[in-house]
Amino acid sequence: MKYKVGDMVKVRNDLKPDKKYGAWCTVPEMMEHLGKVATITEVHEKDYHLSVDDEMWYWTNEMLEPM
């Protein structure tokens, strides 16, 4: 995985709903987080949890930018 717990990242502004980025697809509800800066709170084999959405969604490397 590209990031580790505690890293600051930005959710990419150009994500599209219902499109696959790496292992997972986005859902329309994730779009409210575009451009937000977040902290990685959990790292899994294929994805991350972020502080910005109360760890609700799975985010992949392809959905994030380094800060």
Side-chain angles (χ1 to χ4, degrees):
M1 296 300 295
K2 186 175 181 178
Y3 304 106
K4 63 184 186 309
V5 171
D7 285 351
M8 297 291 292
V9 295
K10 181 179 176 183
V11 178
R12 286 180 35 196
N13 282 314
D14 61 347
L15 299 178
K16 305 291 184 223
D18 302 313
K19 182 174 178 191
K20 190 170 185 178
Y21 294 91
W24 300 109
C25 291
T26 54
V27 295
E29 295 83 0
M30 293 170 84
M31 299 301 103
E32 70 182 74
H33 302 294
L34 299 185
K36 291 185 179 179
V37 174
T39 302
I40 301 285
T41 58
E42 290 183 38
V43 177
H44 303 278
E45 187 175 323
K46 298 179 184 178
D47 51 60
Y48 305 97
H49 279 275
L50 303 180
S51 61
V52 72
D53 65 352
D54 296 322
E55 301 178 344
M56 183 167 190
W57 304 111
Y58 294 106
W59 302 89
T60 64
N61 287 325
E62 294 82 1
M63 297 175 186
L64 306 172
E65 299 175 348
M67 285 300 301

